[in-house]
Amino acid sequence: MKEKLKEAQLLNSFMAGKEKQTSFNNNNQDSCDPCRSFGQKCSHLVKKQRAKFYILRRCIAMLVCWRDRGEP
């Protein structure tokens, strides 16, 4: 149980670090294009969130498979 908690904490810290980096880069990009419609902005945000969840899902699957195989 403690191993799962450590894995989750590691993954959360990794994703939080990536979020800070991407939000900094995206803030510069979004401020340059103020003419986009509300629908386009929402669509862009949905795509970003979907990509983040996909990466998170793949990382969790990798960690579970890695733990089940018993590799160090």
Side-chain angles (χ1 to χ4, degrees):
M1 186 67 168
K2 288 183 181 181
E3 291 176 0
K4 287 183 183 179
L5 184 59
K6 281 185 179 180
E7 289 173 356
Q9 288 173 342
L10 179 64
L11 190 57
N12 284 338
S13 65
F14 174 75
M15 292 302 287
K18 289 291 183 186
E19 177 67 27
K20 288 177 186 174
Q21 291 173 357
T22 56
S23 66
F24 176 74
N25 292 338
N26 287 337
N27 285 341
N28 291 338
Q29 181 183 11
D30 290 342
S31 64
C32 295
D33 194 12
C35 298
R36 292 194 327 188
S37 71
F38 179 73
Q40 289 173 331
K41 289 178 184 178
C42 288
S43 175
H44 181 69
L45 289 174
V46 167
K47 287 179 184 178
K48 283 191 342 185
Q49 283 302 112
R50 189 179 299 145
K52 288 177 185 180
F53 281 126
Y54 173 78
I55 293 168
L56 184 65
R57 194 170 58 236
R58 293 290 303 243
C59 289
I60 290 171
M62 180 190 66
L63 288 171
V64 168
C65 292
W66 176 70
R67 190 197 65 196
D68 289 345
R69 290 181 64 183
E71 294 180 6

